[in-house]
Amino acid sequence: MSISGAVSRGRRDPGIVAGVVLAGLMWLLTLLAVVPAVDAWVVRASRTVPYLPSHAIGYFGTLTYADLWVVISLVLKTGVLFSVTSALVRVAVRGVPRSGGAAVFLSAWMAALVGCVAGAVAGALLWSVDPSITGAAHPAAFVDAATYGLSAGALWGWIPALAARAVWRDGVGSGPGAGGTRVPPFRISGKGRIG
């Protein structure tokens, strides 16, 4: 195996692509939630389609202030979101046949859903041990975090799933043993004989 072959296959890893796209999308939606024009649009759109436009915009919370605890929470949620999604996509697409594009798409979508839930629950778990908050953590906080992560993954997870599916389709057949190029069972020699 050559070094260039390993590098080219590494760039085509659908798990890493899905994790990066999902984390970037959630950050983009979080940053858009701060823009007043987007907030006004969400309020207007929520009158037409209740609940849907405003949901999962601001996955990482309101970025109104930043202290050490907020930065640690953001890094933890981003890391868990990325690592769980990319690991599950890598496991799910392993061994999918060349004609299994729908299986890759659905697997990546479900991996994004689980990644969003894991990131939200990790953030809630971290906030439950915040030294500035007194009292015991309420179990409803974890249920709310899991529900929010579940709906965020269900609503926006198709975007990283499309990216993972596109990268997987390009990567199939690029490496040895990937099933991309079929070799005929015989070859014709230069002398006109089969064998």
Side-chain angles (χ1 to χ4, degrees):
M1 176 194 316
S2 69
I3 294 175
S4 63
V7 170
S8 67
R9 277 199 305 278
R11 283 185 291 160
R12 295 181 179 185
D13 185 3
I16 291 176
V17 169
V20 167
V21 169
L22 183 62
L25 177 66
M26 290 298 133
W27 269 107
L28 176 68
L29 291 171
T30 300
L31 295 175
L32 282 176
V34 179
V35 177
V38 173
D39 189 40
W41 175 83
V42 167
V43 169
R44 283 193 313 270
S46 293
R47 293 183 194 130
T48 307
V49 183
Y51 183 69
L52 184 62
S54 64
H55 204 68
I57 294 180
Y59 177 82
F60 291 105
T62 57
L63 303 175
T64 55
Y65 69 97
D67 62 354
L68 182 61
W69 204 256
V70 171
V71 171
I72 291 172
S73 172
L74 293 175
V75 169
L76 175 73
K77 285 176 79 171
T78 305
V80 168
L81 176 79
F82 169 77
S83 59
V84 168
T85 302
S86 61
L88 288 177
V89 170
R90 285 179 129 184
V91 168
V93 301
R94 184 179 300 169
V96 174
R98 188 172 176 86
S99 62
V104 171
F105 174 76
L106 291 174
S107 298
W109 195 345
M110 292 304 111
L113 193 143
V114 173
C116 285
V117 170
V121 169
L125 182 63
L126 182 67
W127 281 104
S128 71
V129 296
D130 185 356
S132 65
I133 299 175
T134 58
H138 199 277
F142 297 106
V143 173
D144 289 344
T147 303
Y148 187 77
L150 185 68
S151 56
L155 185 62
W156 300 106
W158 63 272
I159 296 172
L162 278 178
R165 198 275 187 211
V167 169
W168 174 83
R169 183 67 178 160
D170 286 345
V172 171
S174 64
T181 307
R182 292 195 54 192
V183 178
F186 61 87
R187 62 183 191 124
I188 299 176
S189 67
K191 299 178 184 173
R193 294 183 315 200
I194 297 178

